[in-house]
Structures are given as structure tokens and as C-alpha cells.
Amino acid sequence: HVQLVESGGGSVQAGGSLRLSCVASEDTKGGRCMAWFRQAPGKQREAVAVRSLDYGYAIYTDFAQGRFTASPVDNWKTLYLQKDSLRSDDTAMYYCAAGSRVPDSKRLRADGYQYWGQGTQVTVS
């Protein structure tokens, strides 16, 4: 059972930067993806960025493209999310997710991932 622990959240002014970290207890197997999602109060959980362990590609949603970068390190045991040019609408709880055998059709969907961290709050003012 993979455990994920996020850290790095906090309060920041608009235009500032934060780096979130997600540490996995072990590697997932086969068709592996690691991802960042976020959920603002009253809204559905939405994908931010996806990285494929097997193929190395990165997918960013429109609001993240050009501002956020998801980088795996330590042989994919850690996934960073560097967030620059933060805006007030980036305020949300950010979650790390991991899955094995994630189908292409579910890479940007929360139900495509089996493992979740507890979340880390980001507040932009």
C-alpha cells in the first residue's frame, strides 16, 4: 500500500512562489502516474499536473501551464510542484495522488488514482 505525504503549503502573496513536495513510501508498479490535484472550497477536485513514471511525459491543465512545474526526484520517490506567479484563485487544498495502470482516459480524473495524500493548504492573498 503506497502512502503519500505532502508538505510545503502555506500563505503567500499574489505573484509569489511555493514548492510543494510529495514523498511516496514506495514505488507503484506498472502504468504508473503521479499527479497533483487541488480542491477549493465548494468546488470539485481538479487535476493540476500529471507525470508518467513509465514514459516520462508531463501533462498540465490550462491554468497550470507555464506557471507550475511537476518534477520527480529521488527515483520517483518524491514529486515536487513548483508554483510560480501565484494568483488568488490558486488558493486550495493541494493533494498528491499516485496510481498504477492509470488508463489514459483517467489521467486527469481523481477516480483514476488509488493512492492519496492528506493534502497541504495553499492560500494566496
Side-chain angles (χ1 to χ4, degrees):
H1 183 75
V2 178
Q3 293 182 320
L4 304 172
V5 179
E6 304 99 331
S7 62
S11 297
V12 64
Q13 291 187 335
S17 299
L18 277 177
R19 189 178 75 169
L20 307 184
S21 299
C22 171
V23 178
S25 61
E26 60 184 85
D27 195 3
T28 57
K29 302 291 187 289
R32 301 163 294 177
C33 284
M34 291 185 73
W36 285 97
F37 284 75
R38 72 182 188 182
Q39 188 167 19
K43 295 187 177 181
Q44 288 189 332
R45 191 168 297 190
E46 60 180 353
V48 176
V50 176
R51 289 301 304 263
S52 167
L53 282 75
D54 292 337
Y55 303 105
Y57 61 72
I59 301 172
Y60 297 93
T61 49
D62 289 346
F63 64 78
Q65 189 72 43
R67 298 191 301 128
F68 296 177
T69 303
S71 304
V73 297
D74 190 21
N75 198 27
W76 288 89
K77 288 294 184 66
T78 300
L79 183 68
Y80 291 128
L81 182 67
Q82 177 67 39
K83 296 144 53 83
D84 300 319
S85 303
L86 284 164
R87 310 184 302 228
S88 58
D89 59 2
D90 293 319
T91 295
M93 186 72 80
Y94 283 74
Y95 296 91
C96 180
S100 54
R101 299 180 180 83
V102 179
D104 290 350
S105 61
K106 290 190 173 183
R107 288 178 302 188
L108 294 175
R109 292 173 48 172
D111 63 354
Y113 295 83
Q114 298 98 323
Y115 309 109
W116 291 86
Q118 80 289 351
T120 185
Q121 177 67 39
V122 173
T123 303
V124 184
S125 59

